[in-house]
Amino acid sequence: LLLDENVLSVTLTGKTAGQAYDLYVRAYCGEDEQSAAAKYTFTPYCPAPTAVTVSEITTTTATIAWTAAEEISKYQVVVLPSGTELDWTNAEVVEGAVTTQLTGLTAATSYYVYVRSVYSEVSLSSYSRSAFNTNCEITPLPYSYGFEEEGLFYCWTVGNKQSTSSYYIPYRYSSSAAANGDYELYLKA
C-alpha cells in the first residue's frame, strides 16, 4: 500500500479481534530509495458489553441484561457475593442473547455481576459490572435481631407510614439481658 506524503494515518478493515497482525512500514523515496521496514505488531480490540442491568430480583433469582458489543454474540457471566475475588473459572457462557437468569442466590445478600465479550478462546474483552442485593425473606414472628450481625440492615423498611415524621424503634442495652449481643431488636405479635 503506497500512501501519499501527506497521509499520516491509515484505517485497516476486515481484521479479526484478538488476532495478532504484523504491520511493516517504510519510507519510499523513489523506486531505488526505500528505508528499512519497521515492524509493528497489533491486536484489534475485543469490545466489551455495556449497561449491565439487574431486574426481577427475588430472594434467590435475578435477571441480568446488557447492551451487546458490536459484532459479538457470545458472553461470559459471573455473579459473586460482594467482597469475593473475581474468578472466571466457572463463568456461564451466554450465546446469541443479551440476557440470562441467575438462580441459586442467597437471600439478603449483596452481589456483583460481571459480563465480558468472548470473540474467540483467546480474545476476551474487559468486563462491565453491576451491583445488586437479593430480596429479604419474610421472617415469622417472634423475631430477634442482634445488631452485631452483618448484612441485613438493608432489609428493614417502614411499612404503612402515615406521616413524614421519622420512626424510631426503641432498643435496649444490657449485656446481661440481650440474647443476641449487646444490642437487640425483638418483635412479637
Side-chain angles (χ1 to χ4, degrees):
L1 176 65
L2 185 59
L3 301 177
D4 183 272
E5 63 185 52
N6 296 320
V7 176
L8 300 176
S9 67
V10 64
T11 301
L12 302 174
T13 60
K15 303 301 176 218
T16 302
Q19 170 72 41
Y21 293 92
D22 293 331
L23 175 67
Y24 295 89
V25 178
R26 67 181 176 183
Y28 179 83
C29 300
E31 293 208 23
D32 295 329
E33 292 185 50
Q34 300 171 11
S35 69
K39 176 183 172 184
Y40 299 94
T41 300
F42 69 96
T43 304
Y45 173 71
C46 178
T50 58
V52 176
T53 60
V54 185
S55 63
E56 301 175 26
I57 301 169
T58 70
T59 56
T60 59
T61 65
T63 299
I64 308 303
W66 57 91
T67 301
E70 188 175 333
E71 298 182 19
I72 302 293
S73 64
K74 189 174 181 181
Y75 301 90
Q76 288 181 336
V77 178
V78 171
V79 62
L80 296 168
S82 182
T84 304
E85 187 174 336
L86 179 57
D87 180 5
W88 294 94
T89 305
N90 297 314
E92 175 187 358
V93 176
V94 178
E95 195 161 358
V98 291
T99 185
T100 189
Q101 180 76 24
L102 302 175
T103 60
L105 304 174
T106 302
T109 303
S110 296
Y111 286 97
Y112 281 106
V113 61
Y114 303 85
V115 182
R116 70 180 178 183
S117 301
V118 178
Y119 195 87
S120 69
E121 294 300 318
V122 295
S123 181
L124 304 166
S125 74
S126 58
Y127 63 80
S128 295
R129 78 174 188 177
S130 186
F132 68 99
N133 296 321
T134 50
N135 291 342
C136 304
E137 293 179 333
I138 297 174
T139 304
L141 296 178
Y143 172 74
S144 177
Y145 181 79
F147 287 89
E148 285 78 9
E149 300 169 40
E150 292 185 24
L152 295 178
F153 291 110
Y154 71 84
C155 289
W156 296 8
T157 59
V158 176
N160 299 323
K161 189 173 180 181
Q162 302 282 322
S163 71
T164 59
S165 63
S166 298
Y167 286 91
Y168 295 95
I169 298 175
Y171 63 90
R172 63 181 178 196
Y173 172 76
S174 170
S175 59
S176 61
N180 291 317
D182 291 337
Y183 297 91
E184 179 181 33
L185 170 69
Y186 180 77
L187 303 172
K188 69 178 187 173

